[in-house]
Amino acid sequence: MRNVQRGASVFAVLAALSLGVTACGGSSASDDSGSAPAGSSAASGGTGGGGSSVNIGFMGALTGPNAQLGINIKQGAEVAINAYNASNPAVKITLKDYDTAGDPAQATSLAPKVASDKVVGVIGPAFSGESKTAVPTLEEAGIPNISASATNATLSANGWKFWHRVLANDDVQGPGVAGFITGPLGAKKVAVIDDQSEYGKGLADVVAKTIGSAASPRDSIDPKADDYSSTVSKIKSANPDAIFYGGYYAEAAKFVKQLRDGGVTAKFVSGDGTLDQKFIDGGKDAAEGAFLSCTCVLATASDDPAVQKFIDDYTKAYGTGPATYSAEGFDAATAFIKALQAGKTSPADINTFLSTEDFKGISKPIKWDDKGELTSGSVYMHEVKDGKIIALGDYKTAKPQ
């Protein structure tokens, strides 16, 4: 059980936070979600309207250069929450937004407000950098938090008792994508580049370590810069077979364009931070043929009725299908919903309940170890083909198209 005894000051905070369960008489919903989709099997089962509600926070990028990843998470969570609220449960959920813009500094400044707003749980923080800086405040306040996307492997080594994530970390993703690069792609020499972020550098370091001496050159770009010509020149001189980039889609799009404009033809590979249609929209023809990894699962047409219902509900609500981390956002929300359905409404009780959960999520089985890591997970590869992202499957069997 991860909800261990804490100091008296923290208990005082928890007592205050439990007041976040407030009488409201019914119709709460996400801040800006619109109409609720039809009931979801994964989230239904309310016990009848009791006229109370809890606040759950969404903490992640809703604005900024890589906002789409946060939007995907929030919308996935809303599908679960709206369906739950529509089932007339005893305790409804109000989803409150905390827009970090993907900036660790902004996340840090928002964290005290999250605590003072008496939320009983947080879906997020989304990115690894903001998780590193904001989670300590959530931890001190005793607020359970579930990230749908932060993959830096070191996050789970902080001894946090209220932190969880619903996807495998970079110690799983890095070796998996490295194996794909040196296996099916047949690369003998690999340039490994990062964006200096907590996420991008962490993932690139694992990839480089896995590849070993064949990882050369090893370099970084400044994500705020527009000119990456220095790194492009290094790569062109080294003439690698493949390039792995650790970072987010906005800079990845600029980077791959400059690589192709600079005459570099090596295969371009990146991780989950680049796995978004906006990478293709920004990179245009230069993005064609790129390979993208993720320990997340893209919800596509499925024989599983629960997955297909999620896809249908999401598409009905937003006019587009689920994207990167949407399914993980749904599963993070579902974990909180299951706690409420079990009668747990205080942050402490919810956190204790999370440590006992073991259910089939939309994305993958959800069960945590004592560090907040999933007990299972794999790496899935994707390829940009004809301007779209297509799934290649588990990295162990994935083949380039």
Side-chain angles (χ1 to χ4, degrees), residues 40 42-43 76-77 80-81 123 146 327-341 354 357 359-362:
S40 162
I81 291 170
I123 298 169
I146 306 173
E328 280 74 14
F330 182 97
D331 286 342
T334 300
F336 285 123
I337 288 168
K338 287 183 175 295
L340 296 177
Q341 289 173 330
L354 292 179
E357 287 192 336
F359 66 92
K360 180 183 178 183
I362 291 297

mmCIF file with all atom_site columns, all heavy atoms in Angstrom, residues 40 42-43 76-77 80-81 123 146 327-341 354 357 359-362:
data_model
loop_
_atom_site.group_PDB
_atom_site.id
_atom_site.type_symbol
_atom_site.label_atom_id
_atom_site.label_alt_id
_atom_site.label_comp_id
_atom_site.label_asym_id
_atom_site.label_entity_id
_atom_site.label_seq_id
_atom_site.pdbx_PDB_ins_code
_atom_site.Cartn_x
_atom_site.Cartn_y
_atom_site.Cartn_z
_atom_site.occupancy
_atom_site.B_iso_or_equiv
_atom_site.pdbx_formal_charge
_atom_site.auth_seq_id
_atom_site.auth_comp_id
_atom_site.auth_asym_id
_atom_site.auth_atom_id
_atom_site.pdbx_PDB_model_num
ATOM 1   N N   . SER A 1 40  ? -20.729 4.770  -20.792 1.00 0.00 ? 40  SER A N   1
ATOM 2   C CA  . SER A 1 40  ? -19.610 3.889  -21.110 1.00 0.00 ? 40  SER A CA  1
ATOM 3   C C   . SER A 1 40  ? -19.617 2.697  -20.185 1.00 0.00 ? 40  SER A C   1
ATOM 4   O O   . SER A 1 40  ? -19.792 2.829  -18.977 1.00 0.00 ? 40  SER A O   1
ATOM 5   C CB  . SER A 1 40  ? -18.291 4.652  -20.944 1.00 0.00 ? 40  SER A CB  1
ATOM 6   O OG  . SER A 1 40  ? -17.214 3.764  -20.844 1.00 0.00 ? 40  SER A OG  1
ATOM 7   N N   . ALA A 1 42  ? -17.179 1.107  -19.123 1.00 0.00 ? 42  ALA A N   1
ATOM 8   C CA  . ALA A 1 42  ? -16.057 1.195  -18.197 1.00 0.00 ? 42  ALA A CA  1
ATOM 9   C C   . ALA A 1 42  ? -16.334 2.173  -17.075 1.00 0.00 ? 42  ALA A C   1
ATOM 10  O O   . ALA A 1 42  ? -15.740 2.085  -16.016 1.00 0.00 ? 42  ALA A O   1
ATOM 11  C CB  . ALA A 1 42  ? -14.789 1.592  -18.942 1.00 0.00 ? 42  ALA A CB  1
ATOM 12  N N   . ALA A 1 43  ? -17.216 3.138  -17.303 1.00 0.00 ? 43  ALA A N   1
ATOM 13  C CA  . ALA A 1 43  ? -17.390 4.201  -16.328 1.00 0.00 ? 43  ALA A CA  1
ATOM 14  C C   . ALA A 1 43  ? -18.772 4.228  -15.695 1.00 0.00 ? 43  ALA A C   1
ATOM 15  O O   . ALA A 1 43  ? -19.007 4.995  -14.783 1.00 0.00 ? 43  ALA A O   1
ATOM 16  C CB  . ALA A 1 43  ? -17.121 5.547  -16.987 1.00 0.00 ? 43  ALA A CB  1
ATOM 17  N N   . GLY A 1 76  ? -9.971  12.662 -23.617 1.00 0.00 ? 76  GLY A N   1
ATOM 18  C CA  . GLY A 1 76  ? -10.181 11.267 -23.248 1.00 0.00 ? 76  GLY A CA  1
ATOM 19  C C   . GLY A 1 76  ? -10.764 11.145 -21.860 1.00 0.00 ? 76  GLY A C   1
ATOM 20  O O   . GLY A 1 76  ? -11.678 10.337 -21.606 1.00 0.00 ? 76  GLY A O   1
ATOM 21  N N   . ALA A 1 77  ? -10.265 11.956 -20.930 1.00 0.00 ? 77  ALA A N   1
ATOM 22  C CA  . ALA A 1 77  ? -10.792 11.939 -19.563 1.00 0.00 ? 77  ALA A CA  1
ATOM 23  C C   . ALA A 1 77  ? -12.243 12.400 -19.538 1.00 0.00 ? 77  ALA A C   1
ATOM 24  O O   . ALA A 1 77  ? -13.078 11.852 -18.800 1.00 0.00 ? 77  ALA A O   1
ATOM 25  C CB  . ALA A 1 77  ? -9.936  12.842 -18.676 1.00 0.00 ? 77  ALA A CB  1
ATOM 26  N N   . ALA A 1 80  ? -14.839 9.698  -20.259 1.00 0.00 ? 80  ALA A N   1
ATOM 27  C CA  . ALA A 1 80  ? -15.137 8.841  -19.111 1.00 0.00 ? 80  ALA A CA  1
ATOM 28  C C   . ALA A 1 80  ? -15.978 9.584  -18.067 1.00 0.00 ? 80  ALA A C   1
ATOM 29  O O   . ALA A 1 80  ? -16.966 9.042  -17.542 1.00 0.00 ? 80  ALA A O   1
ATOM 30  C CB  . ALA A 1 80  ? -13.831 8.357  -18.484 1.00 0.00 ? 80  ALA A CB  1
ATOM 31  N N   . ILE A 1 81  ? -15.603 10.819 -17.771 1.00 0.00 ? 81  ILE A N   1
ATOM 32  C CA  . ILE A 1 81  ? -16.285 11.574 -16.716 1.00 0.00 ? 81  ILE A CA  1
ATOM 33  C C   . ILE A 1 81  ? -17.706 11.939 -17.124 1.00 0.00 ? 81  ILE A C   1
ATOM 34  O O   . ILE A 1 81  ? -18.651 11.830 -16.330 1.00 0.00 ? 81  ILE A O   1
ATOM 35  C CB  . ILE A 1 81  ? -15.469 12.829 -16.356 1.00 0.00 ? 81  ILE A CB  1
ATOM 36  C CG1 . ILE A 1 81  ? -14.174 12.412 -15.652 1.00 0.00 ? 81  ILE A CG1 1
ATOM 37  C CG2 . ILE A 1 81  ? -16.278 13.787 -15.485 1.00 0.00 ? 81  ILE A CG2 1
ATOM 38  C CD1 . ILE A 1 81  ? -13.175 13.539 -15.470 1.00 0.00 ? 81  ILE A CD1 1
ATOM 39  N N   . ILE A 1 123 ? -5.577  14.465 -12.862 1.00 0.00 ? 123 ILE A N   1
ATOM 40  C CA  . ILE A 1 123 ? -5.164  13.755 -14.075 1.00 0.00 ? 123 ILE A CA  1
ATOM 41  C C   . ILE A 1 123 ? -4.022  14.580 -14.655 1.00 0.00 ? 123 ILE A C   1
ATOM 42  O O   . ILE A 1 123 ? -4.211  15.651 -15.189 1.00 0.00 ? 123 ILE A O   1
ATOM 43  C CB  . ILE A 1 123 ? -6.336  13.618 -15.056 1.00 0.00 ? 123 ILE A CB  1
ATOM 44  C CG1 . ILE A 1 123 ? -7.458  12.793 -14.410 1.00 0.00 ? 123 ILE A CG1 1
ATOM 45  C CG2 . ILE A 1 123 ? -5.874  12.970 -16.363 1.00 0.00 ? 123 ILE A CG2 1
ATOM 46  C CD1 . ILE A 1 123 ? -8.765  12.829 -15.181 1.00 0.00 ? 123 ILE A CD1 1
ATOM 47  N N   . ILE A 1 146 ? -2.414  11.077 -11.409 1.00 0.00 ? 146 ILE A N   1
ATOM 48  C CA  . ILE A 1 146 ? -2.169  10.025 -12.395 1.00 0.00 ? 146 ILE A CA  1
ATOM 49  C C   . ILE A 1 146 ? -1.801  10.687 -13.714 1.00 0.00 ? 146 ILE A C   1
ATOM 50  O O   . ILE A 1 146 ? -2.624  11.356 -14.332 1.00 0.00 ? 146 ILE A O   1
ATOM 51  C CB  . ILE A 1 146 ? -3.412  9.137  -12.604 1.00 0.00 ? 146 ILE A CB  1
ATOM 52  C CG1 . ILE A 1 146 ? -3.922  8.578  -11.269 1.00 0.00 ? 146 ILE A CG1 1
ATOM 53  C CG2 . ILE A 1 146 ? -3.083  8.005  -13.568 1.00 0.00 ? 146 ILE A CG2 1
ATOM 54  C CD1 . ILE A 1 146 ? -5.250  7.827  -11.386 1.00 0.00 ? 146 ILE A CD1 1
ATOM 55  N N   . ALA A 1 327 ? -6.625  7.554  -24.933 1.00 0.00 ? 327 ALA A N   1
ATOM 56  C CA  . ALA A 1 327 ? -7.048  6.350  -24.214 1.00 0.00 ? 327 ALA A CA  1
ATOM 57  C C   . ALA A 1 327 ? -6.476  6.344  -22.799 1.00 0.00 ? 327 ALA A C   1
ATOM 58  O O   . ALA A 1 327 ? -7.145  5.924  -21.844 1.00 0.00 ? 327 ALA A O   1
ATOM 59  C CB  . ALA A 1 327 ? -6.593  5.103  -24.974 1.00 0.00 ? 327 ALA A CB  1
ATOM 60  N N   . GLU A 1 328 ? -5.238  6.839  -22.647 1.00 0.00 ? 328 GLU A N   1
ATOM 61  C CA  . GLU A 1 328 ? -4.640  6.899  -21.315 1.00 0.00 ? 328 GLU A CA  1
ATOM 62  C C   . GLU A 1 328 ? -5.371  7.926  -20.436 1.00 0.00 ? 328 GLU A C   1
ATOM 63  O O   . GLU A 1 328 ? -5.513  7.730  -19.231 1.00 0.00 ? 328 GLU A O   1
ATOM 64  C CB  . GLU A 1 328 ? -3.157  7.239  -21.420 1.00 0.00 ? 328 GLU A CB  1
ATOM 65  C CG  . GLU A 1 328 ? -2.250  6.057  -21.776 1.00 0.00 ? 328 GLU A CG  1
ATOM 66  C CD  . GLU A 1 328 ? -2.341  5.628  -23.229 1.00 0.00 ? 328 GLU A CD  1
ATOM 67  O OE1 . GLU A 1 328 ? -2.892  6.390  -24.050 1.00 0.00 ? 328 GLU A OE1 1
ATOM 68  O OE2 . GLU A 1 328 ? -1.858  4.521  -23.561 1.00 0.00 ? 328 GLU A OE2 1
ATOM 69  N N   . GLY A 1 329 ? -5.837  9.025  -21.044 1.00 0.00 ? 329 GLY A N   1
ATOM 70  C CA  . GLY A 1 329 ? -6.630  9.994  -20.298 1.00 0.00 ? 329 GLY A CA  1
ATOM 71  C C   . GLY A 1 329 ? -7.928  9.378  -19.798 1.00 0.00 ? 329 GLY A C   1
ATOM 72  O O   . GLY A 1 329 ? -8.357  9.599  -18.663 1.00 0.00 ? 329 GLY A O   1
ATOM 73  N N   . PHE A 1 330 ? -8.556  8.578  -20.662 1.00 0.00 ? 330 PHE A N   1
ATOM 74  C CA  . PHE A 1 330 ? -9.783  7.866  -20.274 1.00 0.00 ? 330 PHE A CA  1
ATOM 75  C C   . PHE A 1 330 ? -9.491  6.923  -19.109 1.00 0.00 ? 330 PHE A C   1
ATOM 76  O O   . PHE A 1 330 ? -10.250 6.872  -18.129 1.00 0.00 ? 330 PHE A O   1
ATOM 77  C CB  . PHE A 1 330 ? -10.306 7.082  -21.480 1.00 0.00 ? 330 PHE A CB  1
ATOM 78  C CG  . PHE A 1 330 ? -11.591 6.338  -21.229 1.00 0.00 ? 330 PHE A CG  1
ATOM 79  C CD1 . PHE A 1 330 ? -12.809 6.892  -21.590 1.00 0.00 ? 330 PHE A CD1 1
ATOM 80  C CD2 . PHE A 1 330 ? -11.576 5.078  -20.650 1.00 0.00 ? 330 PHE A CD2 1
ATOM 81  C CE1 . PHE A 1 330 ? -13.996 6.205  -21.373 1.00 0.00 ? 330 PHE A CE1 1
ATOM 82  C CE2 . PHE A 1 330 ? -12.764 4.380  -20.427 1.00 0.00 ? 330 PHE A CE2 1
ATOM 83  C CZ  . PHE A 1 330 ? -13.972 4.944  -20.787 1.00 0.00 ? 330 PHE A CZ  1
ATOM 84  N N   . ASP A 1 331 ? -8.399  6.189  -19.197 1.00 0.00 ? 331 ASP A N   1
ATOM 85  C CA  . ASP A 1 331 ? -8.079  5.211  -18.144 1.00 0.00 ? 331 ASP A CA  1
ATOM 86  C C   . ASP A 1 331 ? -7.721  5.893  -16.826 1.00 0.00 ? 331 ASP A C   1
ATOM 87  O O   . ASP A 1 331 ? -8.051  5.379  -15.749 1.00 0.00 ? 331 ASP A O   1
ATOM 88  C CB  . ASP A 1 331 ? -6.925  4.303  -18.606 1.00 0.00 ? 331 ASP A CB  1
ATOM 89  C CG  . ASP A 1 331 ? -7.370  3.297  -19.655 1.00 0.00 ? 331 ASP A CG  1
ATOM 90  O OD1 . ASP A 1 331 ? -8.594  3.071  -19.779 1.00 0.00 ? 331 ASP A OD1 1
ATOM 91  O OD2 . ASP A 1 331 ? -6.501  2.740  -20.357 1.00 0.00 ? 331 ASP A OD2 1
ATOM 92  N N   . ALA A 1 332 ? -7.029  7.020  -16.884 1.00 0.00 ? 332 ALA A N   1
ATOM 93  C CA  . ALA A 1 332 ? -6.707  7.747  -15.656 1.00 0.00 ? 332 ALA A CA  1
ATOM 94  C C   . ALA A 1 332 ? -7.992  8.220  -14.974 1.00 0.00 ? 332 ALA A C   1
ATOM 95  O O   . ALA A 1 332 ? -8.150  8.087  -13.752 1.00 0.00 ? 332 ALA A O   1
ATOM 96  C CB  . ALA A 1 332 ? -5.801  8.936  -15.965 1.00 0.00 ? 332 ALA A CB  1
ATOM 97  N N   . ALA A 1 333 ? -8.909  8.755  -15.772 1.00 0.00 ? 333 ALA A N   1
ATOM 98  C CA  . ALA A 1 333 ? -10.192 9.185  -15.208 1.00 0.00 ? 333 ALA A CA  1
ATOM 99  C C   . ALA A 1 333 ? -10.966 8.006  -14.653 1.00 0.00 ? 333 ALA A C   1
ATOM 100 O O   . ALA A 1 333 ? -11.605 8.100  -13.588 1.00 0.00 ? 333 ALA A O   1
ATOM 101 C CB  . ALA A 1 333 ? -11.011 9.912  -16.279 1.00 0.00 ? 333 ALA A CB  1
ATOM 102 N N   . THR A 1 334 ? -10.928 6.896  -15.354 1.00 0.00 ? 334 THR A N   1
ATOM 103 C CA  . THR A 1 334 ? -11.658 5.707  -14.909 1.00 0.00 ? 334 THR A CA  1
ATOM 104 C C   . THR A 1 334 ? -11.137 5.202  -13.564 1.00 0.00 ? 334 THR A C   1
ATOM 105 O O   . THR A 1 334 ? -11.918 4.736  -12.719 1.00 0.00 ? 334 THR A O   1
ATOM 106 C CB  . THR A 1 334 ? -11.560 4.591  -15.971 1.00 0.00 ? 334 THR A CB  1
ATOM 107 O OG1 . THR A 1 334 ? -12.133 5.057  -17.190 1.00 0.00 ? 334 THR A OG1 1
ATOM 108 C CG2 . THR A 1 334 ? -12.289 3.334  -15.530 1.00 0.00 ? 334 THR A CG2 1
ATOM 109 N N   . ALA A 1 335 ? -9.831  5.314  -13.350 1.00 0.00 ? 335 ALA A N   1
ATOM 110 C CA  . ALA A 1 335 ? -9.266  4.894  -12.061 1.00 0.00 ? 335 ALA A CA  1
ATOM 111 C C   . ALA A 1 335 ? -9.875  5.709  -10.920 1.00 0.00 ? 335 ALA A C   1
ATOM 112 O O   . ALA A 1 335 ? -10.226 5.165  -9.865  1.00 0.00 ? 335 ALA A O   1
ATOM 113 C CB  . ALA A 1 335 ? -7.752  5.042  -12.082 1.00 0.00 ? 335 ALA A CB  1
ATOM 114 N N   . PHE A 1 336 ? -10.012 7.025  -11.122 1.00 0.00 ? 336 PHE A N   1
ATOM 115 C CA  . PHE A 1 336 ? -10.654 7.859  -10.105 1.00 0.00 ? 336 PHE A CA  1
ATOM 116 C C   . PHE A 1 336 ? -12.145 7.528  -9.968  1.00 0.00 ? 336 PHE A C   1
ATOM 117 O O   . PHE A 1 336 ? -12.697 7.503  -8.865  1.00 0.00 ? 336 PHE A O   1
ATOM 118 C CB  . PHE A 1 336 ? -10.480 9.340  -10.446 1.00 0.00 ? 336 PHE A CB  1
ATOM 119 C CG  . PHE A 1 336 ? -9.101  9.872  -10.177 1.00 0.00 ? 336 PHE A CG  1
ATOM 120 C CD1 . PHE A 1 336 ? -8.359  10.466 -11.183 1.00 0.00 ? 336 PHE A CD1 1
ATOM 121 C CD2 . PHE A 1 336 ? -8.540  9.785  -8.907  1.00 0.00 ? 336 PHE A CD2 1
ATOM 122 C CE1 . PHE A 1 336 ? -7.074  10.970 -10.937 1.00 0.00 ? 336 PHE A CE1 1
ATOM 123 C CE2 . PHE A 1 336 ? -7.262  10.275 -8.649  1.00 0.00 ? 336 PHE A CE2 1
ATOM 124 C CZ  . PHE A 1 336 ? -6.529  10.866 -9.664  1.00 0.00 ? 336 PHE A CZ  1
ATOM 125 N N   . ILE A 1 337 ? -12.790 7.289  -11.106 1.00 0.00 ? 337 ILE A N   1
ATOM 126 C CA  . ILE A 1 337 ? -14.221 6.964  -11.074 1.00 0.00 ? 337 ILE A CA  1
ATOM 127 C C   . ILE A 1 337 ? -14.474 5.695  -10.265 1.00 0.00 ? 337 ILE A C   1
ATOM 128 O O   . ILE A 1 337 ? -15.414 5.620  -9.466  1.00 0.00 ? 337 ILE A O   1
ATOM 129 C CB  . ILE A 1 337 ? -14.752 6.816  -12.520 1.00 0.00 ? 337 ILE A CB  1
ATOM 130 C CG1 . ILE A 1 337 ? -14.835 8.194  -13.178 1.00 0.00 ? 337 ILE A CG1 1
ATOM 131 C CG2 . ILE A 1 337 ? -16.098 6.110  -12.543 1.00 0.00 ? 337 ILE A CG2 1
ATOM 132 C CD1 . ILE A 1 337 ? -15.064 8.149  -14.674 1.00 0.00 ? 337 ILE A CD1 1
ATOM 133 N N   . LYS A 1 338 ? -13.638 4.712  -10.453 1.00 0.00 ? 338 LYS A N   1
ATOM 134 C CA  . LYS A 1 338 ? -13.813 3.465  -9.706  1.00 0.00 ? 338 LYS A CA  1
ATOM 135 C C   . LYS A 1 338 ? -13.661 3.689  -8.202  1.00 0.00 ? 338 LYS A C   1
ATOM 136 O O   . LYS A 1 338 ? -14.342 3.048  -7.391  1.00 0.00 ? 338 LYS A O   1
ATOM 137 C CB  . LYS A 1 338 ? -12.823 2.413  -10.216 1.00 0.00 ? 338 LYS A CB  1
ATOM 138 C CG  . LYS A 1 338 ? -13.180 1.861  -11.589 1.00 0.00 ? 338 LYS A CG  1
ATOM 139 C CD  . LYS A 1 338 ? -12.221 0.766  -12.024 1.00 0.00 ? 338 LYS A CD  1
ATOM 140 C CE  . LYS A 1 338 ? -12.678 0.156  -13.357 1.00 0.00 ? 338 LYS A CE  1
ATOM 141 N NZ  . LYS A 1 338 ? -13.976 -0.555 -13.254 1.00 0.00 ? 338 LYS A NZ  1
ATOM 142 N N   . ALA A 1 339 ? -12.789 4.603  -7.828  1.00 0.00 ? 339 ALA A N   1
ATOM 143 C CA  . ALA A 1 339 ? -12.634 4.916  -6.404  1.00 0.00 ? 339 ALA A CA  1
ATOM 144 C C   . ALA A 1 339 ? -13.908 5.554  -5.856  1.00 0.00 ? 339 ALA A C   1
ATOM 145 O O   . ALA A 1 339 ? -14.376 5.212  -4.762  1.00 0.00 ? 339 ALA A O   1
ATOM 146 C CB  . ALA A 1 339 ? -11.441 5.843  -6.205  1.00 0.00 ? 339 ALA A CB  1
ATOM 147 N N   . LEU A 1 340 ? -14.480 6.480  -6.629  1.00 0.00 ? 340 LEU A N   1
ATOM 148 C CA  . LEU A 1 340 ? -15.725 7.124  -6.186  1.00 0.00 ? 340 LEU A CA  1
ATOM 149 C C   . LEU A 1 340 ? -16.867 6.119  -6.118  1.00 0.00 ? 340 LEU A C   1
ATOM 150 O O   . LEU A 1 340 ? -17.682 6.147  -5.181  1.00 0.00 ? 340 LEU A O   1
ATOM 151 C CB  . LEU A 1 340 ? -16.086 8.263  -7.145  1.00 0.00 ? 340 LEU A CB  1
ATOM 152 C CG  . LEU A 1 340 ? -15.107 9.432  -7.201  1.00 0.00 ? 340 LEU A CG  1
ATOM 153 C CD1 . LEU A 1 340 ? -15.551 10.442 -8.243  1.00 0.00 ? 340 LEU A CD1 1
ATOM 154 C CD2 . LEU A 1 340 ? -14.975 10.099 -5.838  1.00 0.00 ? 340 LEU A CD2 1
ATOM 155 N N   . GLN A 1 341 ? -16.917 5.225  -7.087  1.00 0.00 ? 341 GLN A N   1
ATOM 156 C CA  . GLN A 1 341 ? -17.973 4.205  -7.081  1.00 0.00 ? 341 GLN A CA  1
ATOM 157 C C   . GLN A 1 341 ? -17.847 3.284  -5.877  1.00 0.00 ? 341 GLN A C   1
ATOM 158 O O   . GLN A 1 341 ? -18.828 2.672  -5.452  1.00 0.00 ? 341 GLN A O   1
ATOM 159 C CB  . GLN A 1 341 ? -17.918 3.400  -8.392  1.00 0.00 ? 341 GLN A CB  1
ATOM 160 C CG  . GLN A 1 341 ? -18.391 4.206  -9.604  1.00 0.00 ? 341 GLN A CG  1
ATOM 161 C CD  . GLN A 1 341 ? -18.173 3.474  -10.921 1.00 0.00 ? 341 GLN A CD  1
ATOM 162 O OE1 . GLN A 1 341 ? -17.241 2.686  -11.050 1.00 0.00 ? 341 GLN A OE1 1
ATOM 163 N NE2 . GLN A 1 341 ? -19.029 3.742  -11.882 1.00 0.00 ? 341 GLN A NE2 1
ATOM 164 N N   . LEU A 1 354 ? -6.571  3.451  -5.060  1.00 0.00 ? 354 LEU A N   1
ATOM 165 C CA  . LEU A 1 354 ? -5.799  3.298  -6.298  1.00 0.00 ? 354 LEU A CA  1
ATOM 166 C C   . LEU A 1 354 ? -4.772  2.178  -6.170  1.00 0.00 ? 354 LEU A C   1
ATOM 167 O O   . LEU A 1 354 ? -4.498  1.455  -7.125  1.00 0.00 ? 354 LEU A O   1
ATOM 168 C CB  . LEU A 1 354 ? -5.091  4.611  -6.651  1.00 0.00 ? 354 LEU A CB  1
ATOM 169 C CG  . LEU A 1 354 ? -5.963  5.803  -7.069  1.00 0.00 ? 354 LEU A CG  1
ATOM 170 C CD1 . LEU A 1 354 ? -5.085  7.023  -7.352  1.00 0.00 ? 354 LEU A CD1 1
ATOM 171 C CD2 . LEU A 1 354 ? -6.819  5.480  -8.288  1.00 0.00 ? 354 LEU A CD2 1
ATOM 172 N N   . GLU A 1 357 ? -6.268  -1.166 -7.124  1.00 0.00 ? 357 GLU A N   1
ATOM 173 C CA  . GLU A 1 357 ? -7.001  -1.345 -8.378  1.00 0.00 ? 357 GLU A CA  1
ATOM 174 C C   . GLU A 1 357 ? -6.292  -2.306 -9.334  1.00 0.00 ? 357 GLU A C   1
ATOM 175 O O   . GLU A 1 357 ? -5.060  -2.360 -9.393  1.00 0.00 ? 357 GLU A O   1
ATOM 176 C CB  . GLU A 1 357 ? -7.210  0.012  -9.068  1.00 0.00 ? 357 GLU A CB  1
ATOM 177 C CG  . GLU A 1 357 ? -8.258  0.864  -8.364  1.00 0.00 ? 357 GLU A CG  1
ATOM 178 C CD  . GLU A 1 357 ? -8.673  2.071  -9.189  1.00 0.00 ? 357 GLU A CD  1
ATOM 179 O OE1 . GLU A 1 357 ? -7.894  2.511  -10.050 1.00 0.00 ? 357 GLU A OE1 1
ATOM 180 O OE2 . GLU A 1 357 ? -9.779  2.559  -8.966  1.00 0.00 ? 357 GLU A OE2 1
ATOM 181 N N   . PHE A 1 359 ? -7.688  -3.392 -13.137 1.00 0.00 ? 359 PHE A N   1
ATOM 182 C CA  . PHE A 1 359 ? -8.785  -3.479 -14.094 1.00 0.00 ? 359 PHE A CA  1
ATOM 183 C C   . PHE A 1 359 ? -8.269  -3.379 -15.532 1.00 0.00 ? 359 PHE A C   1
ATOM 184 O O   . PHE A 1 359 ? -7.149  -2.919 -15.788 1.00 0.00 ? 359 PHE A O   1
ATOM 185 C CB  . PHE A 1 359 ? -9.844  -2.398 -13.828 1.00 0.00 ? 359 PHE A CB  1
ATOM 186 C CG  . PHE A 1 359 ? -9.380  -0.970 -14.054 1.00 0.00 ? 359 PHE A CG  1
ATOM 187 C CD1 . PHE A 1 359 ? -9.555  -0.347 -15.295 1.00 0.00 ? 359 PHE A CD1 1
ATOM 188 C CD2 . PHE A 1 359 ? -8.793  -0.240 -13.027 1.00 0.00 ? 359 PHE A CD2 1
ATOM 189 C CE1 . PHE A 1 359 ? -9.155  0.963  -15.506 1.00 0.00 ? 359 PHE A CE1 1
ATOM 190 C CE2 . PHE A 1 359 ? -8.384  1.076  -13.217 1.00 0.00 ? 359 PHE A CE2 1
ATOM 191 C CZ  . PHE A 1 359 ? -8.559  1.682  -14.458 1.00 0.00 ? 359 PHE A CZ  1
ATOM 192 N N   . LYS A 1 360 ? -9.100  -3.828 -16.459 1.00 0.00 ? 360 LYS A N   1
ATOM 193 C CA  . LYS A 1 360 ? -8.768  -3.781 -17.888 1.00 0.00 ? 360 LYS A CA  1
ATOM 194 C C   . LYS A 1 360 ? -9.123  -2.401 -18.418 1.00 0.00 ? 360 LYS A C   1
ATOM 195 O O   . LYS A 1 360 ? -10.297 -2.061 -18.576 1.00 0.00 ? 360 LYS A O   1
ATOM 196 C CB  . LYS A 1 360 ? -9.542  -4.854 -18.646 1.00 0.00 ? 360 LYS A CB  1
ATOM 197 C CG  . LYS A 1 360 ? -9.247  -4.880 -20.141 1.00 0.00 ? 360 LYS A CG  1
ATOM 198 C CD  . LYS A 1 360 ? -10.110 -5.916 -20.851 1.00 0.00 ? 360 LYS A CD  1
ATOM 199 C CE  . LYS A 1 360 ? -9.850  -5.903 -22.361 1.00 0.00 ? 360 LYS A CE  1
ATOM 200 N NZ  . LYS A 1 360 ? -10.733 -6.870 -23.074 1.00 0.00 ? 360 LYS A NZ  1
ATOM 201 N N   . GLY A 1 361 ? -8.120  -1.594 -18.681 1.00 0.00 ? 361 GLY A N   1
ATOM 202 C CA  . GLY A 1 361 ? -8.367  -0.274 -19.221 1.00 0.00 ? 361 GLY A CA  1
ATOM 203 C C   . GLY A 1 361 ? -8.616  -0.320 -20.716 1.00 0.00 ? 361 GLY A C   1
ATOM 204 O O   . GLY A 1 361 ? -8.517  -1.362 -21.355 1.00 0.00 ? 361 GLY A O   1
ATOM 205 N N   . ILE A 1 362 ? -8.952  0.861  -21.262 1.00 0.00 ? 362 ILE A N   1
ATOM 206 C CA  . ILE A 1 362 ? -9.097  0.954  -22.711 1.00 0.00 ? 362 ILE A CA  1
ATOM 207 C C   . ILE A 1 362 ? -7.740  0.771  -23.393 1.00 0.00 ? 362 ILE A C   1
ATOM 208 O O   . ILE A 1 362 ? -7.631  0.164  -24.454 1.00 0.00 ? 362 ILE A O   1
ATOM 209 C CB  . ILE A 1 362 ? -9.685  2.337  -23.078 1.00 0.00 ? 362 ILE A CB  1
ATOM 210 C CG1 . ILE A 1 362 ? -11.131 2.428  -22.616 1.00 0.00 ? 362 ILE A CG1 1
ATOM 211 C CG2 . ILE A 1 362 ? -9.572  2.598  -24.586 1.00 0.00 ? 362 ILE A CG2 1
ATOM 212 C CD1 . ILE A 1 362 ? -12.053 1.430  -23.291 1.00 0.00 ? 362 ILE A CD1 1
#
